[in-house]
Amino acid sequence: MLSKKFSSRDELLSTVMLITVIGSLTLAVIDEKSRSQFLDLTKFAVGTYIELLIPRLRSSDRS
């Protein structure tokens, strides 16, 4: 069911975003001095993913 709803491009984007978030949070735990930069990177990655995903969901609902 998910493969019908999401294209391979969306699956790739989801995978890259998940790796970015996990990696950034892991590095934030390890390096306390740079924690705020890693958390900012995580917020940016999640925000970008949501911004790219929402217009596609809205356009597919109308079709």
Side-chain angles (χ1 to χ4, degrees):
M1 183 174 180
L2 285 177
S3 62
K4 292 180 184 178
K5 194 170 190 177
F6 294 109
S7 68
S8 61
R9 181 175 180 241
D10 292 336
E11 291 174 6
L12 179 64
L13 180 63
S14 299
T15 304
V16 169
M17 194 276 310
L18 183 63
I19 291 170
T20 302
V21 168
I22 291 172
S24 295
L25 291 177
T26 302
L27 291 172
V29 169
I30 293 171
D31 188 9
E32 293 179 11
K33 293 179 182 177
S34 301
R35 185 170 287 170
S36 64
Q37 287 86 3
F38 290 124
L39 293 177
D40 287 341
L41 178 63
T42 302
K43 287 188 267 186
F44 176 76
V46 171
T48 302
Y49 176 73
I50 290 172
E51 183 69 27
L52 290 172
L53 190 62
I54 287 175
R56 288 191 204 140
L57 291 176
R58 286 185 183 164
S59 64
S60 66
D61 288 344
R62 293 180 185 159
S63 302

